Amino acid sequence: MANVVERAGETTTRSHASSVLPATSPTERLAAPPANIGPSVVARLDPAIRARLPLDLQQAIEFHGHLCPGLTIGYRAATIALNRLGVTKGTDEELLAIVETDACGADAIQVITGCTFGRGNFVFKDYGKQVFTVYSRAQGIGWRVAMRGGVLSANPQHQTLLQKVAQGKATPEERQLFQQAHLARALAILDLPDEVFADIRQVELPPIPKARIFPSVQCSVCGENVMEPRARVKDGKFVCIPCAEKYGRGWEING
């Protein structure tokens, strides 16, 4: 059975399907150390770099898997917004985050603000912009942090190395140079004054309801459950979006 959650005008399904686990007791599973876990991501960084990283950023790096400019962009946006609101990381749904990119910074927003997809207070707008808003339900306001264009000057060498690395054509020496330049840009973002880094504005949003649970209905084609507000009707029967064909005059968008 799937529980359904609606958040700030967007709805998703929370699945409670169990994973396939070894035949061990819950206590044994909790006590067993993770397998094949090596040194942490932060521990593998150069000590001089590690010393410059705030603890909460280190937590974001562990979650994300590496340190990069995109992650520090999201980190700066999250800390700026929380500071302006005068709050710390949320523990439930007291904060709401709206991100306008699916790039690396979105991971930092989740770690630093406590707003996550699963918690129901993380909204993704697919605009492709380095813009992040953190909203306080108690205060009825939010802060929108939009990274300024041209914050970091263009580096042709860095872009060339990036292309080579992405295409798998970089030599070991070029990969090392790229990593050094990438980390340097990430650290430079940390050092920028707030107003240089981003356009920061207080915004008011309409009252945003907390996550809601909707009933599920069964798709008549694939047999899988789908939350009622996201179901389509075809030939008088419920169908899920993937199973819904174009049904009408040819111009309708079914998903």
Side-chain angles (χ1 to χ4, degrees):
M1 184 68 176
N3 283 339
V4 180
V5 179
E6 184 178 59
R7 38 177 93 107
E10 299 187 5
T11 320
T12 62
T13 299
R14 284 180 178 165
S15 175
H16 295 287
S18 60
S19 302
V20 177
L21 296 171
T24 57
S25 70
T27 302
E28 290 172 326
R29 289 198 295 272
L30 289 172
N36 301 321
I37 300 297
S40 72
V41 177
V42 173
R44 295 196 296 268
L45 292 172
D46 183 276
I49 293 177
R50 192 163 63 242
R52 297 179 59 182
L53 305 176
L55 179 59
D56 53 357
L57 176 55
Q58 294 184 33
Q59 294 168 343
I61 294 169
E62 293 294 346
F63 178 78
H64 184 60
H66 61 260
L67 172 62
C68 64
L71 190 71
T72 54
I73 290 169
Y75 173 79
R76 288 298 311 277
T79 54
I80 288 170
L82 291 181
N83 287 338
R84 297 296 174 100
L85 288 169
V87 300
T88 57
K89 180 177 180 176
T91 58
D92 194 12
E93 293 186 54
E94 57 267 41
L95 300 177
L96 176 95
I98 303 171
V99 303
E100 300 183 21
T101 176
D102 61 354
C104 305
D107 277 355
I109 294 292
Q110 294 184 83
V111 173
I112 303 305
T113 68
C115 300
T116 68
F117 272 118
R119 189 169 281 167
N121 56 348
F122 183 90
V123 177
F124 167 52
K125 302 289 187 181
D126 194 8
Y127 298 157
K129 301 169 66 176
Q130 297 282 11
V131 178
F132 311 88
T133 302
V134 181
Y135 172 85
S136 166
R137 297 183 194 275
Q139 299 178 39
I141 62 169
W143 285 90
R144 183 179 188 268
V145 183
M147 189 182 77
R148 296 186 186 278
V151 161
L152 295 176
S153 58
N155 186 327
Q157 181 187 25
H158 181 260
Q159 292 300 315
T160 300
L161 291 172
L162 174 62
Q163 292 299 321
K164 286 189 175 183
V165 170
Q167 296 169 6
K169 298 178 179 179
T171 66
E173 293 76 14
E174 288 174 328
R175 292 185 67 87
Q176 185 176 8
L177 287 172
F178 167 75
Q179 187 65 18
Q180 292 172 349
H182 216 49
L183 291 176
R185 292 173 76 84
L187 295 174
I189 291 169
L190 290 179
D191 293 335
L192 291 172
D194 291 355
E195 300 295 343
V196 173
F197 166 70
D199 176 65
I200 306 166
R201 302 181 186 180
Q202 181 178 314
V203 294
E204 294 185 3
L205 299 176
I208 299 172
K210 293 186 176 181
R212 295 175 56 193
I213 298 177
F214 289 94
S216 297
V217 297
Q218 188 174 38
C219 174
S220 61
V221 177
C222 68
E224 296 177 351
N225 282 349
V226 57
M227 66 176 175
E228 190 176 71
R230 287 293 182 265
R232 303 289 189 264
V233 177
K234 180 179 179 182
D235 296 328
K237 298 179 180 179
F238 286 123
V239 293
C240 65
I241 292 174
C243 290
E245 300 174 350
K246 293 296 180 181
Y247 190 63
R249 300 176 183 174
W251 52 264
E252 294 87 354
I253 299 176
N254 287 329

